[in-house]
Each structure stands twice: as C-alpha cells, then as structure tokens.
Amino acid sequence: MQEHYDFKEIEKKWQEDWDKKNTYQVPDFSERPKYYCLEMFPYPSGKLHMGHVRNYSIGDVVARFKTMQGYDVLHPMGWDAFGLPAENAAIKNGIAPATWTWDNIDHMRSQLKQLGLSYDWNREVATCHPEYYKWGQWLFLQLYKKGLCYKKHARVNWCPDCATVLANEQVVEGACERCSAVVEQKELEQWFFRITEYAQRLLDDLKLLKGWPDKVKIMQENWIGRSQGAELTFPVDGSDDSISVFTTRPDTVYGVSYMVLAAEHPLVAKLSAGTPQEAEVSEFVNRVSKLTELTRTSSEKEGVFIGAHCINPFNGERVPILAANYVLYHYGTGAVMGVPAHDERDFEFAHKYDLPVKVVIYPAKDKELQAEEMTEAYTEDGIMVNSGPFDGTPNRQGIKKVIQYAEEQGIGKGIVNFRLRDWLISRQRYWGTPIPIVYCEKCGAVPVPDEQLPVLLPTDVAFKPTGESPLKGRPDFVNTTCPQCGGPAHRETDTMDTFVDSSWYYLRYTSARDTEEAWNKNKVDRWMNVDQYIGGVEHAILHLLYSRFFTKVFHDLGLVNVQEPFENLLTQGMVLKDGTKMSKSKGNVVSPEEIIERYGADTARMFILFAAPPERDLEWSDRGVEGSHRFLNRVWRLIYSVKDEIVKASAIPAGTNYVGVHKEMRRLTHYAIKKVTEDISGRFNFNTAISTIMELVNGLYTYRDKVAEVERDVDVLAEAINTVIVLMAPFTPHIAEDLWSATGHKGSVHKQLWPTYDPAALVEDEVEIAVQINGKVRERLNIPANMKPAEMQQYLMEMELIKGLIGNKQVVKVIPVPGKLLNIVVK
C-alpha cells in the first residue's frame, strides 16, 4: 500500500468529473428548500492570495454542508471587474484594460477551480460585460426617474495619482484607499445618489440584522450618525442675512459667545468684503480650502474674525463671527455656535482667541461655576442658569423647552441630522460603467432610452492620467443625438463608481443569463435574501451600506420583496505571517499556487480552516500546513488498509446496543457526527470540527490496531469509516470524493445526506427506567445515568420508540423521574 496519496492526480480527476457532470449546477426552482451562500466576489487582479483562499474555503464548507442537509444551494462566483488597476496596467504596460481584465479572469477562474470550490459556474458574472453593465445603467435610470439621482457642483475628494474623484468612504486618514496618495479638494460637477433619503431606514433596520456582527452594525450606525437637536437661526447684525446652526445642545444657547463658519461658507466672503479683515480672511480661506477633511478636523484649530457679528435671538446679544478650519461646509449647515463653557473644543478655541466664556449650566443649584476659574469645559448634566426664563430648569428638560420656545418664536425648530452624505458616484475614468445621460442644448440632461442600452464603452482609447476622462477624446462616443428632440447632443463622459456595480450583483446571480431584464422577479423571490454572506469587515461602510440602500430602493420600486440583502454576515479575519498581514512590500507573501503544487488544494483548505476560527486572524504556519498534509495521508492509509474489509458491512439500526470496544467506537463515531454538525451549523467553528474528525481518526486507528481482524465488528468499522469520509467532504472535497469511490459507494459523496447521530450510541453509564403511558408500564429502556429531568424528557421524547408508543394521541403532560421512570399522559 502506498504511503502517500497522489493529490495531483486525484484533484485533477475529480475537478474534471465535477465539471463534466455539472455537479454543482443548481435549479432555479424545486421542491427542496433554498439556501443562498455567497462570498464577496473578487477584483480580477490576476492572482489569488491567501485571504481569497480563506474566504472562499469558508463559504465552500457552508455550501457543501447545506447541500448535504437537503437544500438547493445557490453558490455563485463572479468578478468585480471595472476599476482603476486595469487602467493603470494599460498606462504602464500598453495593454487594453479589457484584454488585461479578461486574461486575469481566465487565470483566476482556473485557480478557483483548482481549489475544488463548489460554484455553479453557469451563473458567473463579470461587471465589465455589456450584458451586466447594461442593467447597471438601467438601474441608474430607475433611481434618476425616482428623484434619487442628481448632478450638482460640489467640493469633492480628488486623488491626484488616480486622477479621479473619491467618495468620502474611500478616503482613509486623508489618503486614497487604493494608492495611499494624499487626497486634495476640488470643485467639480458630479453625480450623486440620494442615499440620505434612506438614512433613517438604514439606521432603523439595523435591528433586523440579528445575524450580523455587532461591530459591523456599530460601524454603520456611527457612519450614518443620527443626531437629534435644533436648528436655530441667528440674524446677521446690520444685514438681511442670517446664519442657521444645528446643535444637539440647545440648552446651552444662552452661552453662545461667538459664531464659526466654514471657510467655504458663502457668507464668509460676503460679510468680510470691504472690512479691514478682508485680506486676512481671503488668505485664510484660500489656504484652508485646499486641505482635506481629515487634516482640517485633526490639526490645531484655527480661525479668523471676518469683521461681522450676528445676534443671539434668545437674548439679543451681539456675538462675533469667525471662519475656522474645523467646520466643514457640507456637514450640517456649515456653521457652529461657540459655547466655550460647555464644549471642550469651543473652550480651547475661545482661550486661544481670547473669546468670552459664559457659564449657563451649573452641576447643581448649590454648585456654582465661575468662568474665570474654569480650566476645562463643563459638559455634564446640571441646572440651567443665566438663561432667562429657563433658569433653574434641569438641562435635559431644558433641551425640549428651548426647542418649543424657538418654534413658538419662529427662531428655530426641532430637527434630526445625519452624518451620512449623499453617495458621490462620478468617476473621471474610462474603465467603468458609462453614465446613461446625454446633454442637449435644447432639452438639457436627457436619460438614454431603455432600448438604446447599453451605452457601450469604446475599445480604443488613449490612457493618460490627465484629470479628465479618456472618453472625452473620443468624438465618436461623445457626439450623439438627443433622444427627445433629435438634435445634436453629447454624452456624459464620467463613469460610475465601481461600488455601484457591486451593490446589486447578488441579485443578478439569480438570472445571470437573462437578456430581457436585470433579474427575473420570481427567481429573486425564490433565492433572496442571501442566507449567508462572507467577506471582509473593511466593507462595513462601503459595499455593505450601499447594498442595503440599493435593496431598499429596489423594494420601493417593486423590483424585489426583501428590504435587506444579507440575512447573516460573517467577516473573516486576515491571514498573517510573522504577525503582520501578508504583503509584497513586507516580503511575507505565501503563494496559494505554490502551496497547492506542493501539498494539494485539500491540504491548503484544511490548514486554513483548522488554524483559527473564521472571524479571527490566522497566523500562517509552514509546520501547520505540513501537519494537515500528514493527517490527510494518515486518513488515506487507514481507509485503504480496511477498505476491502468493510465492503461486506451492513447499516446499523438506530438504538442497537454494543459492548466493550465496539460500543466505544460507535460512541466516538456518533459524538463526531453530533459535534461536527453543531460546529458547522452554529458559529462556523471549523477548527474544532476538524479537531473532532481527527479524534475520530485516532479512535479508528486504536480500534483497528488493538482489535484483531476476526474480532472487529465490520458494521461498526464501516460506519466509522464512512462517517470520517462524509464529515471530511465539506472541508477536503477531493480526497473525500476519492475515498468514497474507493470504498465501493456509488455517486458523489457531495450528494449524500448529512448523517444524524444515534442518541443511544452516545450513552456511556446507563440506568434502566420504566416508560409509562397514562400510568401503565409499556417499555423499559437504558438511558444515560445522572440525567436532569429536562434532559431526560427531551432525550426520550425524540426517540422513535417513544413516538411509536404514543402514536397519534395528544401528549397532555410528561413527568420524568431521573433514574426511575418517565410517565407520559396522553388523551
């Protein structure tokens, strides 16, 4: 018998067999229950990394397990194929983005097949294919018609290296999330999706996501950033203008000692014009406006008096107006009232610029604060003072009373504000979905009619990062005819943010080859929502938030019935080496191709699933990989040593009693079934599931080696061997398939029903009890000793024997007496 199995031959053999037989193709409709398992699809960079291997191996275990449990499992794969790297490759290597992308897709598809992943490749999608982005354009137009899509001039985040606009969510610590270049501010006309219209629903419906990690929900909650307070109006002294401010602390309004405007606020230039401060203000505005949000909000607070005052409408006091670097024009109203005594930031700013500090909250009636003695702001609750008619009011009550007073006097109103901004989707690049809008001098902006979709990308463009879309250099693309009047028009040359493409791909998988509609509603209703979604936590406030927004819009348009796309979410940890994330720059990358070539895909999968729980980071270990490979060879040798012996075995009826070593072998077998089932179907504790399989294999070696062949019970041995193979199937599909065939079974192991454990086989120490039906003894059974009443009741009531004794009668009461009897009252 050979010592090592030939993984190269075996894996190639079964991959070709699965492909030939369409083993993993799933029907759109059947009588079986559905289960939708989805991993976030990759960008086709050309090579898989170990993070991919981990992500997809986790999903594959879930998909295979649910299939063996009797579900129709939708488990598709595709490509998030538009984006900047393809254009950067075109600039660097002189290769067309389409060629580069499709070549990479071909290579990565073959890599995924090498891993033995159970994808239904008949549903493969690529976002750069016209039959995909045609429907992305159609969906854009549905939002446009619903008033959820608009174009406006705005200050935007500009990446000078990528030469394109970035959404706020794509700026990380002041830098581009892709290339790490320092982000600048630029004024451009851009397209936006009105995600703010759904801010409250996105926030409220987080409570529906019981299968999501709390950390992801908290990240989304913080990003949406709901705050409740008041919008108050401060008239500008000597002017018809006024300044609106949003505050969550209207109880401190009597303590306002200055007003701060964002540098870009129109009133800054208007009110400073002609004042002695005009030149200083202009220089300040020019300098601050070039800075990123992060720089402005994280650096030292700076301001400048603009030469004007406003009036506090509550007490008539005249307060100076300043422009400051830390106030952002597109957040709130672009203005902030300064209350130094009760806000730490305002306190520091006031001391820096020698602005008044006015105390309007005491900790208690008998605990006064003196402004000149304060070394920090008082921000806790207390009693309102120096606040006119509100003196003596607990400040929490005062918040409501001040808002009510403001509304009565017409100087303000209660309001809810959100941190979330509308989603900027314009990109000044070529390799993306063209925005289906044309511009006509007569008709203005006109949507492209459905019958003219898709607006196709030309295949021959010049790639130079000039800051303008390369499409502008193609008159055959730009020049067109107005769909409304038939006159000359020009196309929009911006393309869509790639997050638009990835915010609805999970719906397209249900109807991947449909040429008549984005998806068939009956098919979407069959499969949605996604039962298990798997991907990185880095997408918490990008892809996951955008996908939730899209699903709610589609629900409101009558296109889907669900309001949330993903029922359960697993965010897997990173793969580390030497304590840090794998990176070419750090020289700690491990190539999946090299590991598969040396050890095989099953070894790679087993190690990466065994080394750590899925949600935690995983430290790469060459010794761990070798250990996983040794274990698979050990299983191989074991099963080949007894495969001829177990051919004659018969199935063991549930409840069959054994003694001695045979009983212990059966206990190990059924414990493994129970434990592995719980570990996979619970919180995906694959590492402990694999450990349990290893314990079962150890027990089998002991049974084989310590029990003579003539004394071994062939049925017990076969049951254990078959269990090992079936339990390994989701984790190591190739070797399991081959061993299943080698032990004389017909059909694929992956089409077998997942085993269920026999409670009787788990019994170690037993006692005999009497089973009574309405007080009459009907049976005597051996059950585990020392069972609690509730455990005993559940254990026995699940037995087929007990169900047979009860028949169709209705159970009125169950009275368990541990160690003695079970009395079942029926009628």
Side-chain angles (χ1 to χ4, degrees):
M1 183 183 68
Q2 64 189 54
E3 287 293 304
H4 302 282
Y5 79 105
D6 188 341
F7 60 83
K8 290 184 180 179
E9 178 185 337
I10 285 172
E11 292 178 0
K12 184 174 185 295
K13 168 188 172 182
W14 289 111
Q15 287 164 14
E16 290 177 351
D17 184 76
W18 297 332
D19 197 45
K20 179 181 177 181
K21 294 177 179 177
N22 266 327
T23 300
Y24 304 117
Q25 184 174 359
V26 64
D28 289 318
F29 302 98
S30 82
E31 296 300 316
R32 288 156 61 100
K34 74 91 181 179
Y35 191 90
Y36 192 169
C37 178
L38 185 61
E39 303 100 58
M40 295 180 185
F41 65 170
Y43 180 78
S45 59
K47 287 187 177 181
L48 293 181
H49 54 68
M50 280 301 172
H52 288 130
V53 175
R54 190 181 197 195
N55 189 7
Y56 306 145
S57 295
I58 291 168
D60 200 48
V61 171
V62 176
R64 290 181 181 279
F65 173 69
K66 299 306 290 189
T67 298
M68 296 174 79
Q69 282 196 318
Y71 290 84
D72 274 340
V73 176
L74 178 57
H75 188 214
M77 177 48 67
W79 313 98
D80 192 6
F82 275 137
L84 288 173
E87 289 193 50
N88 293 338
I91 295 168
K92 182 178 179 180
N93 303 316
I95 184 171
T99 302
W100 185 83
T101 300
W102 287 111
D103 285 349
N104 286 351
I105 286 173
D106 289 342
H107 182 63
M108 290 181 72
R109 186 191 302 111
S110 67
Q111 289 180 303
L112 293 177
K113 288 187 175 183
Q114 273 188 308
L115 284 168
L117 301 165
S118 58
Y119 294 131
D120 182 353
W121 286 105
N122 298 288
R123 296 175 183 270
E124 180 183 10
V125 302
T127 59
C128 65
H129 195 289
E131 276 303 320
Y132 184 91
Y133 70 73
K134 167 185 179 178
W135 298 111
Q137 292 171 344
W138 183 82
L139 292 169
F140 171 96
L141 294 175
Q142 305 317 300
L143 271 72
Y144 182 81
K145 293 170 186 174
K146 189 175 170 60
L148 293 172
C149 181
Y150 66 94
K151 194 175 189 181
K152 72 170 183 178
H153 277 281
R155 293 188 61 78
V156 295
N157 304 305
W158 178 263
C159 174
D161 286 7
C162 296
T164 192
V165 164
L166 303 175
N168 289 335
E169 294 87 345
Q170 293 167 302
V171 179
V172 180
E173 296 183 351
C176 172
E177 66 163 357
R178 283 195 176 276
C179 71
S180 299
V182 175
V183 172
E184 302 171 354
Q185 298 294 296
K186 201 169 187 177
E187 185 84 21
L188 290 173
E189 192 174 23
Q190 303 285 287
W191 284 97
F192 292 82
F193 283 154
R194 211 180 296 273
I195 191 173
T196 51
E197 288 288 316
Y198 284 75
Q200 190 64 54
R201 281 172 63 182
L202 289 166
L203 185 64
D204 290 343
D205 287 356
L206 287 171
K207 67 179 180 294
L208 303 177
L209 304 177
K210 301 188 185 304
W212 282 40
D214 287 340
K215 64 180 179 182
V216 174
K217 291 188 283 187
I218 290 170
M219 289 169 74
Q220 289 208 1
E221 181 178 352
N222 290 340
W223 190 259
I224 295 167
R226 185 185 192 275
S227 54
Q228 192 161 351
E231 186 174 285
L232 306 176
T233 303
F234 287 67
V236 175
D237 189 23
S239 167
D240 292 334
D241 293 306
S242 61
I243 299 171
S244 293
V245 297
F246 173 79
T247 177
T248 59
R249 294 292 307 275
D251 54 316
T252 66
V253 69
Y254 284 84
V256 174
S257 62
Y258 64 92
M259 179 67 64
V260 180
L261 300 179
E264 304 86 355
H265 198 295
L267 285 180
V268 171
K270 181 178 179 180
L271 296 178
S272 64
T275 69
Q277 291 78 20
E278 182 176 9
E280 183 184 5
V281 171
S282 178
E283 185 278 328
F284 178 82
V285 169
N286 289 335
R287 175 168 57 86
V288 169
S289 297
K290 296 175 183 178
L291 302 177
T292 65
E293 287 185 15
L294 180 70
T295 302
R296 289 172 62 166
T297 55
S298 61
S299 59
E300 183 181 355
K301 307 298 179 284
E302 293 183 82
V304 59
F305 176 54
I306 69 169
H309 294 75
C310 62
I311 305 299
N312 186 332
F314 286 82
N315 57 16
E317 290 187 359
R318 190 168 176 262
V319 297
I321 304 172
L322 292 87
N325 61 348
Y326 65 87
V327 181
L328 304 174
Y329 183 52
H330 57 278
Y331 278 93
T333 63
V336 174
M337 64 184 203
V339 186
H342 305 292
D343 181 276
E344 196 58 46
R345 181 185 62 184
D346 295 351
F347 185 86
E348 294 174 3
F349 190 82
H351 273 265
K352 179 176 181 178
Y353 291 103
D354 198 26
L355 295 164
V357 177
K358 299 179 59 180
V359 176
V360 291
I361 305 286
Y362 284 170
K365 287 183 178 179
D366 57 347
K367 291 185 178 180
E368 297 184 2
L369 295 175
Q370 300 299 325
E372 60 274 12
E373 298 175 0
M374 295 177 70
T375 58
E376 61 181 3
Y378 178 73
T379 58
E380 303 300 318
D381 289 339
I383 302 298
M384 295 177 69
V385 296
N386 302 320
S387 298
F390 304 102
D391 283 354
T393 305
N395 74 298
R396 288 292 156 187
Q397 296 178 22
I399 291 175
K400 295 180 180 179
K401 290 185 176 182
V402 170
I403 293 174
Q404 182 180 356
Y405 176 81
E407 291 176 341
E408 290 172 352
Q409 299 298 316
I411 56 176
K413 60 182 178 179
I415 195 172
V416 172
N417 208 8
F418 294 93
R419 178 177 184 268
L420 181 68
R421 302 293 95 192
D422 279 340
W423 175 9
L424 191 161
I425 67 158
S426 292
R427 297 296 179 269
Q428 293 68 46
R429 301 303 295 241
Y430 158 74
W431 193 235
T433 298
I435 294 175
I437 296 288
V438 300
Y439 301 97
C440 171
E441 287 190 11
K442 180 180 177 182
C443 305
V446 181
V448 174
D450 291 356
E451 61 272 15
Q452 294 182 20
L453 299 178
V455 176
L456 290 169
L457 282 173
T459 57
D460 181 22
V461 295
F463 294 98
K464 297 177 182 178
T466 61
E468 289 190 339
S469 170
L471 292 173
K472 289 188 175 181
R474 288 297 301 264
D476 57 334
F477 174 84
V478 174
N479 297 326
T480 187
T481 301
C482 175
Q484 285 188 5
C485 71
H490 64 275
R491 293 191 187 280
E492 172 65 71
T493 55
D494 283 356
T495 54
M496 296 188 212
D497 177 11
T498 55
F499 279 101
V500 177
D501 306 324
S502 60
S503 295
W504 67 278
Y505 78 108
Y506 47 90
L507 296 165
R508 183 63 179 173
Y509 279 139
T510 68
S511 313
R513 300 293 169 263
D514 198 321
T515 60
E516 301 300 319
E517 52 192 344
W519 55 79
N520 178 277
K521 192 168 184 299
N522 290 331
K523 294 177 182 178
V524 163
D525 289 347
R526 153 78 162 154
W527 291 111
M528 285 296 290
N529 46 20
V530 174
D531 295 278
Q532 185 62 59
Y533 201 32
I534 303 164
V537 72
E538 66 271 16
H539 297 293
I541 55 172
L542 285 162
H543 165 63
L544 290 171
L545 186 63
Y546 294 155
S547 296
R548 294 183 62 222
F549 164 59
F550 262 29
T551 302
K552 293 181 187 304
V553 173
F554 300 155
H555 173 272
D556 293 351
L557 291 170
L559 299 173
V560 300
N561 285 331
V562 296
Q563 295 207 46
E564 287 290 339
F566 312 122
E567 182 77 13
N568 298 290
L569 174 68
L570 172 66
T571 54
Q572 84 281 356
M574 294 187 295
V575 180
L576 311 176
K577 192 169 192 298
D578 305 324
T580 59
K581 183 180 179 180
M582 288 187 181
S583 165
K584 288 181 181 179
S585 62
K586 296 174 184 174
N588 65 344
V589 172
V590 177
S591 165
E593 289 179 316
E594 292 176 8
I595 296 299
I596 292 171
E597 174 67 23
R598 184 173 180 184
Y599 297 105
D602 283 345
T603 293
R605 290 169 58 122
M606 169 159 275
F607 165 73
I608 216 157
L609 293 166
F610 178 57
E615 68 276 6
R616 296 185 185 174
D617 292 343
L618 178 156
E619 178 67 34
W620 183 265
S621 165
D622 294 334
R623 290 181 62 185
V625 175
E626 292 166 0
S628 295
H629 192 59
R630 285 196 302 272
F631 172 73
L632 293 182
N633 277 300
R634 195 163 180 257
V635 172
W636 179 268
R637 290 192 297 272
L638 169 68
I639 293 176
Y640 263 78
S641 72
V642 299
K643 71 181 183 69
D644 295 332
E645 184 180 341
I646 64 175
V647 170
K648 304 171 186 177
S650 301
I652 301 173
T656 302
N657 288 320
Y658 283 85
V659 296
V661 291
H662 312 301
K663 177 183 177 65
E664 176 60 15
M665 188 67 252
R666 285 208 81 222
R667 188 192 69 78
L668 283 174
T669 299
H670 286 268
Y671 172 77
I673 294 171
K674 182 175 186 292
K675 183 69 163 59
V676 172
T677 303
E678 291 171 349
D679 283 347
I680 297 178
S681 58
R683 283 302 304 158
F684 304 144
N685 293 322
F686 302 143
N687 56 326
T688 56
I690 292 172
S691 179
T692 300
I693 296 172
M694 291 176 172
E695 292 173 7
L696 176 57
V697 170
N698 289 339
L700 263 165
Y701 265 100
T702 300
Y703 186 71
R704 186 199 69 174
D705 296 342
K706 292 190 177 181
V707 181
E709 185 172 342
V710 293
E711 296 175 355
R712 287 201 289 263
D713 187 293
V714 69
D715 295 344
V716 171
L717 180 63
E719 180 184 55
I721 291 292
N722 291 337
T723 298
V724 168
I725 297 171
V726 171
L727 295 186
M728 286 178 60
F731 302 99
T732 54
H734 306 92
I735 192 172
E737 189 79 287
D738 205 69
L739 291 173
W740 188 252
S741 175
T743 49
H745 296 94
K746 303 298 182 184
S748 172
V749 68
H750 303 294
K751 297 294 185 181
Q752 304 307 306
L753 281 178
W754 190 258
T756 55
Y757 72 93
D758 181 358
L762 298 179
V763 174
E764 296 183 75
D765 297 325
E766 297 179 329
V767 294
E768 183 182 73
I769 70 159
V771 177
Q772 296 180 345
I773 306 293
N774 289 343
K776 183 177 181 180
V777 175
R778 298 289 302 277
E779 189 64 72
R780 293 186 180 276
L781 296 173
N782 289 325
I783 69 167
N786 302 318
M787 292 188 81
K788 296 177 181 178
E791 294 173 339
M792 175 180 163
Q793 176 178 328
Q794 180 178 356
Y795 176 82
L796 290 170
M797 292 300 290
E798 289 177 356
M799 294 181 66
E800 293 298 325
L801 176 64
I802 303 298
K803 293 177 182 177
L805 292 174
I806 297 171
N808 295 324
K809 295 178 180 178
Q810 181 181 350
V811 176
V812 177
K813 186 183 295 185
V814 179
I815 308 171
V817 182
K820 294 183 179 180
L821 62 84
L822 179 77
N823 186 28
I824 305 171
V825 180
V826 299
K827 67 175 182 179

